Amino acid sequence: RMSLLLTDLLEVSQLREHRMKLNLKPLYVQSIVPGVVSMLGYMHENKPIRMIIDIKSSTPAVIADERRLVQILHNLLHNAIKFTEQGTIAITGEQREGKMWIHVSDTGPGMDEETLSRILLPYEQGIHGLNHGNGIGLGLSISQQLVELHGGELTVQSWPGKGSVFSFSLVTSNAESAPVSQTSVREEPFPAPANLVYFAGQAVSRSFDWFNETWRNHTEDSNKIQHRILAVDDDPINLNILETI
């Protein structure tokens, strides 16, 4: 969590000083969204929330920086899941006036007009964010600036007691002049492979002997012992990503 907070602070500085550069290329949003949803699965697995992805497979590519597009989607979905205790979170897409609009809607507590007018400001969390006590209120502000850096727009609609809709636009790519390979869209995360092994914290230091012994056994008789992968990371989100590969 501290690493994420420091990253947010550094990126605020980069954006303020116009030092952030984008690696723009044609990307298919419908191929990226399911991965981000899977990445955040640990946040809603114990909540009665229905996750819906409704972006047509025929949707054209957008011009974006893949890392920053994932960051924008992650921030918006993270907020939606954090504040929604039950109901529905939907990620939908539509083409409008040469741009692709992505909408992230939820059935959370919503916001009043006063909170809505400030929610995209740096360090603004709103009453519900303060009650949760997580983060420092930079995610939405960073997302807005990243969207604008792409030449798009981020808007918010909200209704107290009913939920919110965060929408952002990106310029679409000309498929003929900038062809890219489109990957298949999956609406459910792949199940975690049974042979993936990972350790966290102090368990890592106690596991290398086991790993070395297991590896020696593999090299001696790889037909009898199933191969395993040891993944070590201090960020549970990265380990969750590996589980879905």
Side-chain angles (χ1 to χ4, degrees):
R1 183 176 298 172
M2 181 61 70
S3 174
L4 294 174
L5 294 178
L6 290 174
T7 298
D8 282 349
L9 290 171
L10 289 172
E11 290 185 343
V12 165
S13 176
Q14 288 181 330
L15 288 165
R16 185 189 303 120
E17 298 171 8
H18 307 288
R19 291 189 291 111
M20 183 170 289
K21 296 181 180 180
L22 299 179
N23 179 23
L24 298 175
K25 60 182 178 180
L27 299 170
Y28 285 98
V29 178
Q30 62 269 40
S31 297
I32 294 175
V33 169
V36 180
V37 172
S38 297
M39 190 189 309
L40 294 169
Y42 72 97
M43 289 185 65
H44 64 83
E45 59 187 2
N46 295 319
K47 290 183 176 183
I49 294 176
R50 183 186 179 199
M51 301 292 296
I52 298 174
I53 302 175
D54 185 14
I55 303 176
K56 295 180 180 179
S57 59
S58 59
T59 299
V62 298
I63 299 298
D65 181 305
E66 184 171 9
R67 177 186 171 191
R68 299 307 176 183
L69 177 54
V70 169
Q71 184 178 1
I72 294 165
L73 289 166
H74 181 280
N75 285 345
L76 298 183
L77 280 168
H78 185 279
N79 265 28
I81 297 170
K82 181 167 67 173
F83 296 119
T84 302
E85 294 303 323
Q86 61 181 357
T88 302
I89 295 174
I91 306 96
T92 59
E94 63 168 329
Q95 276 186 271
R96 197 165 70 223
E97 300 177 352
K99 291 188 175 183
M100 179 68 186
W101 281 87
I102 305 298
H103 309 286
V104 178
S105 60
D106 63 64
T107 55
M111 295 174 280
D112 58 28
E113 291 187 7
E114 182 182 358
T115 303
L116 189 60
S117 67
R118 306 191 315 265
I119 199 61
L120 296 179
L121 296 176
Y123 308 106
E124 179 60 45
Q125 293 179 285
I127 185 63
H128 300 293
L130 292 173
N131 290 338
H132 274 75
N134 294 327
I136 55 177
L138 286 174
L140 292 178
S141 176
I142 290 174
S143 295
Q144 181 186 39
Q145 293 179 75
L146 288 175
V147 169
E148 292 175 350
L149 200 58
H150 281 80
E153 178 185 3
L154 190 150
T155 63
V156 191
Q157 294 177 288
S158 192
W159 304 268
K162 294 184 178 180
S164 303
V165 181
F166 286 80
S167 306
F168 68 95
S169 62
L170 294 170
V171 178
T172 56
S173 168
N174 185 326
E176 295 182 358
S177 61
V180 294
S181 58
Q182 181 175 358
T183 57
S184 61
V185 179
R186 55 185 173 92
E187 296 190 1
E188 296 294 335
F190 291 124
N195 63 339
L196 178 66
V197 179
Y198 61 87
F199 300 90
Q202 295 181 353
V204 172
S205 61
R206 296 197 299 267
S207 303
F208 282 112
D209 289 340
W210 167 86
F211 178 75
N212 289 332
E213 181 63 27
T214 303
W215 178 252
R216 281 195 295 271
N217 291 335
H218 286 171
T219 57
E220 291 173 2
D221 192 351
S222 59
N223 293 325
K224 293 182 180 180
I225 301 177
Q226 188 176 16
H227 288 275
R228 297 187 176 213
I229 297 175
L230 173 64
V232 181
D233 200 298
D234 62 353
D235 189 339
I237 292 179
N238 292 338
L239 294 175
N240 283 329
I241 295 173
L242 286 174
E243 288 181 344
T244 62
I245 293 177

